[in-house]
Amino acid sequence: MDDGAEKPRQRARGRSDGPTAVEVTERLRHQIQEGLWSPGEWLREARLCAEFDVGRSIVRRALGNLADDGLVILEANRGASVTVTTLQEVFDLYELRASLYGVAARFTCIRASPVLLEEILQKSDRLIAASEAGASADELIHQSEVNFSLMAGAASIDAQKMIAAVRRKTRWHWSYVGLAESPYPQGVFDHWRVMRAGLAARDPAMAADGARDILYFMQNEVSRLMLTRGLGMQASMQAAPTRRRGP
């Protein structure tokens, strides 16, 4: 081989190689909910760009997503600061989500095509089987979200938007931890079995009751978790935060 031969150039790093705005949003969401960022702390763009190896446009979109979900406050010429999530807010959001998921289950019974309904039933069976096999809370929550997304597709566009908005606000780390640390984690899957039976029979009332009870179970577990850890008891922050984190 000719030592003087030109060596292949290393491929330049493309924009698609790094995390997307959605991925940065989810990672920050978990950091906030795990307490790595305290209420009132500032999320500095420069620090986040370095931490995630992304440009400012990605960070700004991620912070905008978090602001839409109420996890940070955007202030002109200052940046984003972490908000306080109160127990009352969490409780109320789960209450609203339970109502909307009941609507989704009801509409699935009424409107879903045989093909869509069969897919939902099969995914429900896989979820229940995974719970019995000891799958992780993360995996179980993920599978349940996939199934509810299919069910939401049977609702109107406006209803789908409302479900998506409320889901973003309650798709928090507490959902995973609440299920993982529940004294009786199989309890939520008892409600999944009820909903599944209602869907199979195209019984809107039974399916809606099962769907609502799934969210009520999670509401209770997440509220219990926050209470035992002394979290979410503060009043919502209105004043501008003063703490700093990093440069």
Side-chain angles (χ1 to χ4, degrees):
M1 176 181 291
D2 183 1
D3 291 340
E6 184 179 355
K7 296 180 180 179
R9 294 183 180 180
Q10 185 176 2
R11 184 174 67 88
R13 186 175 183 271
R15 290 187 177 183
S16 61
D17 294 338
T20 65
V22 172
E23 290 168 338
V24 172
T25 300
E26 291 307 306
R27 288 165 67 178
L28 284 172
R29 186 195 309 276
H30 277 255
Q31 289 180 7
I32 292 170
Q33 290 155 359
E34 289 168 0
L36 300 182
W37 297 90
S38 300
E41 289 192 281
W42 290 97
L43 299 173
R44 303 296 184 187
E45 288 185 6
R47 183 184 181 92
L48 298 179
C49 288
E51 178 176 344
F52 297 110
D53 193 21
V54 295
R56 287 183 180 269
S57 62
I58 294 290
V59 167
R60 287 171 181 169
R61 287 202 296 272
L63 293 176
N65 292 338
L66 294 173
D68 289 341
D69 291 352
L71 294 179
V72 303
I73 297 174
L74 296 178
E75 297 188 36
N77 303 318
R78 299 195 69 186
S81 60
V82 179
T83 61
V84 173
T85 300
T86 67
L87 177 60
Q88 180 179 346
E89 289 166 345
V90 171
F91 190 91
D92 290 356
L93 284 168
Y94 271 102
E95 191 76 22
L96 180 57
R97 189 173 178 180
S99 298
L100 290 171
Y101 275 31
V103 169
R106 178 178 176 82
F107 286 167
T108 298
C109 291
I110 297 171
R111 301 173 180 169
S113 67
V115 173
L116 176 58
L117 182 58
E118 181 61 27
E119 182 180 2
I120 291 171
L121 293 176
Q122 289 178 0
K123 289 185 182 299
S124 298
D125 290 338
R126 285 197 289 270
L127 171 62
I128 293 170
S131 73
E132 294 171 345
S136 69
D138 281 36
E139 176 59 26
L140 295 174
I141 294 291
H142 171 71
Q143 288 193 35
S144 69
E145 288 299 303
V146 170
N147 217 14
F148 272 121
S149 293
L150 290 173
M151 293 166 56
S156 66
I157 297 298
D158 286 342
Q160 289 180 42
K161 290 179 179 178
M162 287 188 286
I163 291 171
V166 174
R167 172 187 288 165
R168 285 199 310 271
K169 292 178 182 293
T170 50
R171 192 179 60 229
W172 295 341
H173 180 66
W174 301 120
S175 296
Y176 303 91
V177 179
L179 181 59
E181 298 190 6
S182 170
Y184 180 50
Q186 279 298 317
V188 71
F189 298 104
D190 291 341
H191 302 309
W192 267 97
R193 292 181 179 90
V194 171
M195 185 181 74
R196 197 257 184 226
L199 293 172
R202 287 194 183 266
D203 183 332
M206 179 187 293
D209 284 345
R212 286 191 293 266
D213 286 342
I214 291 169
L215 272 297
Y216 290 145
F217 179 95
M218 293 307 305
Q219 180 189 57
N220 289 336
E221 293 307 298
V222 171
S223 298
R224 177 188 59 79
L225 179 69
M226 294 182 72
L227 282 171
T228 57
R229 296 190 179 184
L231 299 167
M233 303 308 294
Q234 309 97 323
S236 296
M237 286 179 56
Q238 300 297 331
T242 57
R243 294 186 62 189
R244 296 172 60 90
R245 178 189 177 102

